[in-house]
Amino acid sequence: YVYSKNMQMAGRHGTNSPAAVEQNAPPHKEGQTPPPPSPPATGEGGVPGEGSGPDPNALSLEMILDLKSFRKPWEKTFTQRCRLFVGNLPTDLSEEDFKKLFSKYGEANEVFINRDRGFGFIRLESRTLAEIAKAELDGIVLKNRPIRIRFATHGAALTVRNLSPAVTNELLEEAFSEFGPVERAVVVVDPRGRPTGKGFVEFANKPAARKALDRCADGALLLTTTPRPAIVEPTEQLDDEDGLAEKLLQKTPLYHKEREQPPRFAQPGTFEFEYSSRWKALDEMERQQREQVERNIGEAREKLETEMEAAKHEHQLMMMRQDLMRRQEELRRLEDLRNQELQKRKQIEMRHEEERRRREDEMMRHREQPDGFKPNFMEGREQEMRMGELGPRGAINMGGTGVVSPDITKTR
């Protein structure tokens, strides 16, 4: 919160005191005479400052200024749009005095003064505060010199054309933020609020603006789905607020010669009327040619948009065909993998089935063999050992079988 200096002084000296009126009177502009001091208010009995006079405390409370109310919710602070150029300054003005001149308009982020050339720059918090300061201080006499205040030119502003109707302020700022900090991005609309296809982007510094200008000139920056590139160019700096005041125009001999006659209409049949008619004819020819060029450009734009839409549909169809072919190829690959997996499973199942049958066959063979035909391994082993102990003769008599060995027959 900021209190007005005038009201603070009035609260200390009394709102109607001559000292307060004299000290708090604003500096008068060039060509104006200061207003006479107002007589002090008298109350009952003719006593100044009593009875009917306003309450100083109430008056001081009314002049409390909330600087936040001068800034829009989405407005950024201390931008180049809030930067003021102050000219015709006294050469002995200090930087501290220069800053105090704007102190009641809030905090200043940038203060620069060139005493030798008599000018300076100051940057306030918001555009509204800068406009108020300009309106109140422009033309005031400071040490016998009327100062001149204008908004400083924005050297980092770009104009963007060929915008789609779907582009908004937020999208424009988002697209250009990749080049550097953006202070403001605005899409220009007509009186009905319809977009004109044109916008402005204001960067915080010149290198970011130069980078955006070069990148957009070399490439094609697309803001939406439509392949419609943004055309970027430097913004032409024009002063359409103050214009050219009479007091600022130099009074040269050419000025005096041109101003010898007042504004008037040319009379028919005169020299002035003849050449005025020729100037008007030239302007009419320029207007017709400009309209013809605009019609040609409009027709070419419509043709390009029609071709672009047709090509866009064709491109979409081609992409859909390619996607369909890709999906079909993927399905075939998945089907082949599935068949291979099924084949492997069948082979595994066949091997398992063969193994199962083999085991069943073995089990069936073991079950079908009779018990008497099972070889007695232990009995056969004992018989062999006995035959080895008895020798050939024992083998003859063993069991009384009557079998005669060939060797025994030969001996006999």
Side-chain angles (χ1 to χ4, degrees), residues 6 14 31 62 104 119 166 194 197 223 225 253 271 283 307 332 368 372:
N6 295 341
E62 291 178 358
K104 84 171 193 176
F119 71 89
R194 296 175 298 188
L223 305 184
T225 306
F271 170 81
D283 183 75
E307 294 177 354
R332 284 194 295 267
E368 292 176 356

Side-chain angles (χ1 to χ4, degrees), residues 338-353:
R338 179 174 173 274
N339 294 334
Q340 293 177 6
E341 185 68 21
L342 291 176
Q343 189 69 21
K344 289 180 180 179
R345 288 182 180 180
K346 288 182 179 180
Q347 293 177 358
I348 294 173
E349 290 177 357
M350 290 176 63
R351 284 199 299 267
H352 288 173
E353 183 68 20

Side-chain angles (χ1 to χ4, degrees), residues 258-266:
E258 289 292 332
R259 301 293 285 272
E260 288 178 354
Q261 296 187 18
R264 64 202 180 280
F265 280 99

Side-chain angles (χ1 to χ4, degrees), residues 246-297:
E246 184 73 23
K247 60 185 178 181
L248 301 178
L249 188 62
Q250 295 183 358
K251 307 303 187 290
T252 61
L254 179 61
Y255 165 82
H256 292 290
K257 182 179 179 181
E258 289 292 332
R259 301 293 285 272
E260 288 178 354
Q261 296 187 18
R264 64 202 180 280
F265 280 99
Q267 298 297 323
T270 61
F271 170 81
E272 293 178 340
F273 186 83
E274 177 184 356
Y275 277 87
S276 298
S277 301
R278 294 177 64 178
W279 275 109
K280 292 181 68 176
L282 178 62
D283 183 75
E284 179 66 18
M285 182 179 66
E286 180 183 0
R287 183 185 63 81
Q288 293 178 359
Q289 292 183 359
R290 188 181 297 110
E291 290 179 353
Q292 182 63 36
V293 171
E294 290 178 355
R295 282 195 297 268
N296 295 339
I297 294 177

